[in-house]
Amino acid sequence: MSTASSTQKIAILSVYDKTGLLDLAKGLIKNNFKLLGSGGTATLIRKNGIEIDDVSAITKFPEMLGGRVKTLHPAVHGGILARNIDSDDNDLSNLNISKIDIVVCNLYPFKETIAAPDVTIADAVEQIDIGGVTLLRAAAKNHQRVTIISDPNDYSGVLEQIEEKNEISQDFRNKLALKAFEHTADYDSTISDYFRKVYSPQVSQLSLRYGANPHQKSAQAFVESGDLPFKVLSGSPGYINLLDALNSWPLVQELSSSLNLPAAASFKHVSPAGVALGLPLTDVEKKIYFVGKNDLLSPLANAYIRARGADRMSSFGDFIALSDIVDVATAKYISKEVSDGVIAPGYQPEALEILKNKKKGKYCVLQIDPNYKPNPVETRQVFGVSLQQNRNDVKLDVGNFKIISKNASLTPQAITDLTVASIALKFTQSNSVCYAKDGMVIGLGAGQQSRIHCTRLAGDKADNWWFRQHPRVLEIKWAKGVKRPEKSNAIDLFVTGQVPTEEPEKSEYESKFETVPVPFTADERKEWLSQLTDVSLSSDAFFPFPDNVYRAARSGVKFITAATGSVMDQAVIAAADSQDIVYLENPIRLFHH
């Protein structure tokens, strides 16, 4: 090695991707840089007539272990990490080490290697770069003095600055350091992702058949440290199953904790179709929810029966969340309904066997760790961009919300129902409005761009729930062999006033009945709906116009909680006063996406 002069700067080059390498080396030589290179990098540059010394010229140590150890040496890293301070200069002088000014490095192709269909663990291990990562991190750490180049696209920019200014600006070094840190972070993430799949399947990583749609492959669920907070006891969860499960579980956990009762949720496409507390069923409820008079029930079973029963059409094929250990009564009811799976903190042995037998053993049963606490910061990706925010862990205390209406007669039951509705909205796709009564959601309008459409949709669902309790519905005589989903469909057409009048739909509809029920008249509908009262409503944000209040009142709403902040607040509150509604100001907006 020819010794570099005290003023000659040194660049060390160690790259796998050799794109643009020769032009960079020529440019550095032209600007009086001393070049050091490792392995194949030095060989390629030297073969093309460019002067370069091997790294071993300064380490006084040959490459070893088949190339696994090349640049890991104090002569290299001391030269990179040294700062422009007297103590560091003295250390280098005493050890005869020269400062290194530029590090050019990119890493072994681990990502490309593991993409091969026949890759072995040994193949993957050999592509884990050690020296390169250390070079990158050392140079990036000391970017106040050292320039780290990890991307061939930056070669020309570096040479331009050297030729024009005889130095590289601090701003450019900062950007290059960030790029190097991102390079190593992505590299490490790829490695850990590979070994999670190899060494920790079903523990910290779970492979899925596909994503939201069958053509979206390479789907998985994983945590970056520790174990997944749930275990798969039966079946094979899909991507959307897990979206439902992991949104519905915190809902029932929070609701049960807030009101000290078992809670259940029926989820479809990342919003609840129903949410309820485990309160006893009336005889009417048993009938409209298809529960036998002598069926064995429990508080948890009641919670799910009510959650599922509020909107049976939307709950068809749901994912279930239960706050408590699943008992036999609950499992037996679940076994009768069409659903995709269930998540709960535990299962009685007999209950688990009942659920495992559902769908010929393919029914998805998840056991969640009730003590799991997610990271307080959550991150998601949209179109390649990461969005980050603090998790919405606010606790709602409806009883302390400020009453801003003339009527201040807030009942204990209304506090319970407003709590049910508000917590449900916290986990519902916005915009959303929720109607609740007697400890259960009876109508939920989710994911609408217009607030009045949320209020109308939720109100129509609440009306549907109420009309299903009409004596004419309870007295329906069904044709033999009609299944529960078919009954639910027929009832839905009947109570919403959409009875088919044209063939062949008319005959299909009438075939479900032993005696076809007579449709409601307008006066009958008005009279029955007038008996629905003491309904509570929560909105995930303010009402922009009073029309929401008037629509809610038509479905028996007597209690409303919503945020304020609209220019129309006073008009909205005046509308509530005109309907003698108790209106509470929710200090927390509850958007969820």
Side-chain angles (χ1 to χ4, degrees):
M1 172 187 178
S2 56
T3 305
S5 68
S6 60
T7 59
Q8 188 177 25
K9 293 186 176 182
I10 300 176
I12 185 168
L13 296 82
S14 180
V15 297
Y16 180 85
D17 180 358
K18 297 176 174 58
T19 303
L21 178 64
L22 296 178
D23 288 338
L24 175 66
K26 291 175 183 176
L28 292 173
I29 289 289
K30 177 183 176 183
N31 286 279
N32 198 35
F33 272 81
K34 180 69 181 177
L35 304 188
L36 297 174
S38 67
T41 303
T43 299
L44 176 65
I45 292 173
R46 193 176 294 119
K47 281 183 176 179
N48 282 271
I50 303 169
E51 184 178 357
I52 185 170
D53 285 329
D54 291 326
V55 170
S56 59
I58 63 170
T59 64
K60 310 302 180 186
F61 221 92
E63 294 182 7
M64 60 182 294
L65 304 181
R68 282 191 169 197
V69 179
K70 301 175 185 176
T71 58
L72 297 171
H73 194 279
V76 173
H77 291 284
I80 294 172
L81 289 166
R83 296 155 292 182
N84 287 328
I85 59 177
D86 290 343
S87 59
D88 284 6
D89 288 342
N90 289 335
D91 284 345
L92 294 186
S93 178
N94 292 335
L95 295 169
N96 195 29
I97 295 175
S98 298
K99 286 181 179 177
I100 294 171
D101 304 279
I102 292 179
V103 174
V104 183
C105 182
N106 54 63
L107 304 175
Y108 292 166
F110 187 86
K111 189 175 294 187
E112 292 78 5
T113 298
I114 61 173
D118 57 349
V119 64
T120 65
I121 293 176
D123 294 334
V125 165
E126 284 308 308
Q127 293 302 318
I128 298 176
D129 204 319
I130 303 301
V133 171
T134 310
L135 286 173
L136 285 167
R137 291 185 67 85
K141 175 176 180 175
N142 202 26
H143 64 274
Q144 286 296 110
R145 181 183 68 79
V146 178
T147 300
I148 173 63
I149 316 171
S150 59
D151 183 353
N153 291 320
D154 293 317
Y155 293 171
S156 59
V158 169
L159 290 177
E160 285 175 8
Q161 289 210 1
I162 293 173
E163 290 172 358
E164 292 176 6
K165 305 174 183 178
N166 199 32
E167 65 177 1
I168 299 166
S169 70
Q170 186 62 59
D171 181 64
F172 196 24
R173 286 205 301 275
N174 295 346
K175 292 176 181 178
L176 293 174
L178 172 60
K179 184 175 283 191
F181 284 129
E182 291 172 338
H183 187 32
T184 59
D186 178 68
Y187 194 73
D188 286 339
S189 176
T190 303
I191 293 171
S192 59
D193 180 70
Y194 172 76
F195 283 104
R196 265 194 300 268
K197 294 173 181 175
V198 173
Y199 292 149
S200 193
Q202 309 292 324
V203 179
S204 63
Q205 186 272 347
L206 180 66
S207 295
L208 309 175
R209 292 191 304 276
Y210 51 79
N213 299 291
H215 66 275
Q216 294 174 270
K217 304 298 184 182
S218 301
Q220 64 169 324
F222 67 92
V223 288
E224 292 182 344
S225 63
D227 297 346
L228 288 166
F230 63 87
K231 295 178 180 177
V232 180
L233 304 184
S234 178
S236 177
Y239 185 89
I240 294 175
N241 290 153
L242 291 179
L243 286 177
D244 285 339
L246 298 175
N247 273 279
S248 59
W249 162 250
L251 189 166
V252 297
Q253 184 183 43
E254 181 174 340
L255 185 57
S256 178
S257 175
S258 296
L259 296 174
N260 199 31
L261 284 167
S266 168
F267 252 63
K268 284 284 293 291
H269 290 285
V270 206
S271 282
V275 178
L277 298 170
L279 300 173
L281 301 176
T282 66
D283 288 341
V284 170
E285 285 181 307
K286 287 181 180 179
K287 194 158 188 177
I288 67 172
Y289 303 151
F290 301 123
V291 178
K293 287 185 178 180
N294 299 319
D295 283 359
L296 174 67
L297 299 178
S298 67
L300 187 65
N302 289 338
Y304 178 60
I305 290 168
R306 301 173 85 226
R308 168 115 186 171
D311 183 0
R312 289 185 60 84
M313 297 290 288
S314 296
S315 287
F316 184 82
D318 62 344
F319 206 94
I320 304 162
L322 301 168
S323 65
D324 294 10
I325 292 175
V326 178
D327 53 28
V328 172
T330 307
K332 283 185 175 179
Y333 185 80
I334 292 173
S335 70
K336 300 174 183 178
E337 299 289 0
V338 177
S339 67
D340 276 359
V342 58
I343 185 168
Y347 302 83
Q348 291 179 355
E350 186 180 347
L352 181 58
E353 288 307 309
I354 292 171
L355 295 173
K356 281 185 173 181
N357 288 326
K358 188 173 171 66
K359 285 189 174 182
K360 298 180 179 180
K362 295 182 180 180
Y363 189 66
C364 181
V365 181
L366 305 180
Q367 181 172 343
I368 187 75
D369 177 2
N371 298 314
Y372 173 73
K373 300 294 182 186
N375 192 310
V377 176
E378 60 185 8
T379 304
R380 68 190 302 183
Q381 266 201 357
V382 180
F383 201 59
V385 177
S386 294
L387 304 177
Q388 198 169 72
Q389 64 176 357
N390 289 332
R391 190 172 300 281
N392 185 6
D393 56 3
V394 64
K395 300 300 179 185
L396 300 173
D397 186 3
V398 174
N400 287 320
F401 285 3
K402 181 182 178 182
I403 298 176
I404 55 178
S405 58
K406 290 179 180 179
N407 186 346
S409 301
L410 183 64
T411 66
Q413 184 62 56
I415 293 175
T416 294
D417 293 342
L418 288 171
T419 299
V420 170
S422 298
I423 291 177
L425 292 182
K426 186 178 168 185
F427 299 92
T428 299
Q429 298 299 299
S430 296
N431 291 316
S432 59
V433 169
C434 183
Y435 294 58
K437 181 175 171 61
D438 298 334
M440 64 180 286
V441 169
I442 62 171
L444 197 151
Q448 304 300 303
Q449 288 80 9
S450 166
R451 182 131 328 252
I452 185 59
H453 289 156
C454 294
T455 305
R456 290 172 183 166
L457 176 59
D460 290 348
K461 287 176 179 283
D463 296 349
N464 184 328
W465 171 82
W466 179 242
F467 269 96
R468 284 161 52 206
Q469 301 177 55
H470 192 284
R472 194 175 300 171
V473 177
L474 299 179
E475 294 166 1
I476 287 177
K477 302 297 183 183
W478 297 101
K480 288 184 179 180
V482 178
K483 298 178 180 179
R484 288 186 181 198
E486 294 174 312
K487 292 179 180 179
S488 296
N489 291 344
I491 291 171
D492 189 71
L493 290 170
F494 179 68
V495 302
T496 58
Q498 300 181 70
V499 174
T501 58
E502 296 182 2
E503 297 295 353
E505 187 182 9
K506 180 174 181 291
S507 294
E508 173 66 21
Y509 167 77
E510 293 177 347
S511 70
K512 308 303 178 190
F513 306 100
E514 184 178 298
T515 302
V516 179
V518 178
F520 294 113
T521 65
D523 287 342
E524 287 174 329
R525 297 187 69 85
K526 183 177 180 181
E527 192 279 330
W528 181 252
L529 192 57
S530 70
Q531 299 179 45
L532 176 60
T533 188
D534 292 333
V535 176
S536 294
L537 178 151
S538 182
S539 174
D540 68 354
F542 63 67
F543 283 142
F545 299 103
D547 55 354
N548 290 275
V549 176
Y550 297 131
R551 173 61 190 88
R554 291 200 293 274
S555 293
V557 169
K558 291 297 181 184
F559 308 94
I560 291 176
T561 183
T564 56
S566 167
V567 295
M568 296 293 287
D569 279 347
Q570 293 309 311
V572 170
I573 296 167
D577 288 338
S578 75
Q579 304 297 311
D580 199 30
I581 289 173
V582 181
Y583 202 105
L584 293 80
E585 179 184 29
N586 185 345
I588 306 295
R589 194 177 75 177
L590 295 172
F591 280 173
H592 179 70
H593 291 284

